[in-house]
Amino acid sequence: MRCDAPAELPRFFIPFAGASETAEEVYESVRAFMRKVAFAPNERRIYSVAYRHNGRDYVSTVGEREPEGETVIAIFETFNPDPLYMICTRSRGVVTGDPILAGDAQVVVDFAPGRQGNDH
């Protein structure tokens, strides 16, 4: 599995959101939806997670496409009791449906703390 941490951590962003205020609203809305349909996420802001599922290696990164073809909008962390990652795409946790769940994480990359990347 290849998942190199970027040389410089990316600033927080939400794909398809214009201004940072919109990105924050979308993020909090998806976060609230996760509390209802899945698990209560913690405060960690995750950019990318490399994980193993059914013997195969996957890497999910915000802003990039999942194998199913949808763009990853957000990734959340919770504990049940071990770390569990909720990978959200339009039809898997953002607009409808359950998130993609990843429990066997090998590498987790956070967004850089501070200013958001959606700022123009």
Side-chain angles (χ1 to χ4, degrees):
M1 170 180 4
R2 183 169 170 83
C3 179
D4 297 329
E8 184 176 317
L9 295 176
R11 295 185 307 180
F12 174 77
F13 72 97
I14 293 291
F16 314 116
S20 61
E21 294 81 17
T22 304
E24 198 62 40
E25 289 172 14
V26 170
Y27 184 79
E28 289 304 323
S29 176
V30 176
R31 199 165 181 276
F33 189 57
M34 287 301 94
R35 280 193 295 272
K36 287 182 182 177
V37 301
F39 303 96
N42 61 24
E43 298 295 321
R44 188 175 183 185
R45 292 198 173 196
I46 298 170
Y47 171 65
S48 183
V49 60
Y51 62 99
R52 180 169 276 264
H53 179 70
N54 290 336
R56 294 186 62 198
D57 294 329
Y58 296 92
V59 178
S60 293
T61 303
V62 172
E64 296 183 11
R65 293 193 181 276
E66 271 293 303
E68 299 163 355
E70 289 193 279
T71 301
V72 176
I73 304 298
I75 302 171
F76 297 96
E77 180 184 63
T78 191
F79 290 86
N80 189 35
D82 296 320
L84 182 66
Y85 299 91
M86 299 175 285
I87 302 160
C88 300
T89 67
R90 185 179 185 283
S91 68
R92 300 285 307 265
V94 174
V95 176
T96 187
D98 294 330
I100 298 164
L101 298 176
D104 189 8
Q106 309 298 311
V107 178
V108 179
V109 178
D110 293 334
F111 280 105
R115 210 174 75 127
Q116 297 180 358
N118 289 80
D119 292 334
H120 295 297

